[in-house]
Structures are given as structure tokens and as C-alpha cells.
Amino acid sequence: MEFFGVDLLDLWRGRLSIRRVGVLINSLMKKPGRSTLLEAMDERTRWGESEYLLARISDALEVSNYLFFKANAQDSDDLDEPLPIPRPGQPEPEEQPVEQFSSAQELSNFLGQISSL
């Protein structure tokens, strides 16, 4: 293990205990940065902190641009809401069902019922 300067063969030579290997593995899991062990245990560790921050900034910028164009463009009904950048270890976002609006006749009937009360 390169971080601790310990040779794992010492486990078989009798100079290293299984408990000590467990302690070293637990401390490896708490270290910042990337490691093959952490990536095998949790896919989210494939990205570092800076990648997550950049993805968050990019998503916020996309939403900001979307809201700006939605508020100021004449034909903004054609704009689709931006999808966030996929992160490792997170499921793909499910598509939202399309909302069905009431017809003019249904709206007129509803408002007529309210006004008659």
C-alpha cells in the first residue's frame, strides 16, 4: 500500500495482522482523492470534488440561460428544460409525463359551477 509504506506480503510473513489491514483499508476510504478501492466500492468516487462542482456550475448556468430565454423570447414555448449533466452512480432521470390541459369546454363548465355557488 503506497500511502502507508506497508507491504501486503507481510500479512503472509506474519509481520502484519488482519486487524491492521482492516484499519489501513478504513483509513484509505476516508482519504480525499481517487483510489481504485473506493471506485470499486462506490461509483460516485469516480469524479473528484472539482468535477462535481463544475457539473453543478454548468447545470446552474444552463438553467439560468433557459429561464432568461423563457422570460424574454417571443417563441419560448419551443424550449425544452435543460437536463442536468449525468453524474456517476446516479440513476438516469426519468422523463416527466406530459401534463394534459383542460379543454375550453371543461374550463367553461368548471367556472360555471363555481359562479353558480
Side-chain angles (χ1 to χ4, degrees):
M1 293 203 220
E2 66 180 287
F3 290 114
F4 306 111
V6 175
D7 187 6
L8 284 179
L9 290 176
D10 286 345
L11 181 64
W12 284 271
R13 294 178 189 139
R15 294 183 225 148
L16 187 64
S17 68
I18 292 179
R19 181 181 180 279
R20 177 75 175 144
V21 171
V23 168
L24 293 175
I25 289 173
N26 284 335
S27 62
L28 254 184
M29 292 175 54
K30 295 175 184 169
K31 281 193 171 295
R34 299 181 185 156
S35 74
T36 306
L37 174 66
L38 282 178
E39 191 174 321
M41 296 177 75
D42 188 3
E43 190 178 321
R44 293 175 294 171
T45 60
R46 189 179 281 163
W47 277 10
E49 188 175 344
S50 59
E51 284 91 353
Y52 279 105
L53 288 173
L54 285 172
R56 188 168 179 191
I57 290 169
S58 176
D59 290 344
L61 187 59
E62 288 286 329
V63 169
S64 175
N65 288 338
Y66 167 76
L67 293 174
F68 177 79
F69 287 126
K70 192 80 169 161
N72 296 312
Q74 298 293 337
D75 55 350
S76 64
D77 295 335
D78 299 340
L79 293 176
D80 293 331
E81 190 172 335
L83 296 175
I85 293 175
R87 274 99 167 143
Q90 291 183 343
E92 293 292 324
E94 297 178 8
E95 290 195 21
Q96 300 291 332
V98 177
E99 295 181 19
Q100 297 293 328
F101 293 103
S102 300
S103 67
Q105 182 62 37
E106 291 172 337
L107 184 60
S108 175
N109 291 341
F110 176 74
L111 293 175
Q113 290 174 354
I114 291 177
S115 65
S116 66
L117 293 177

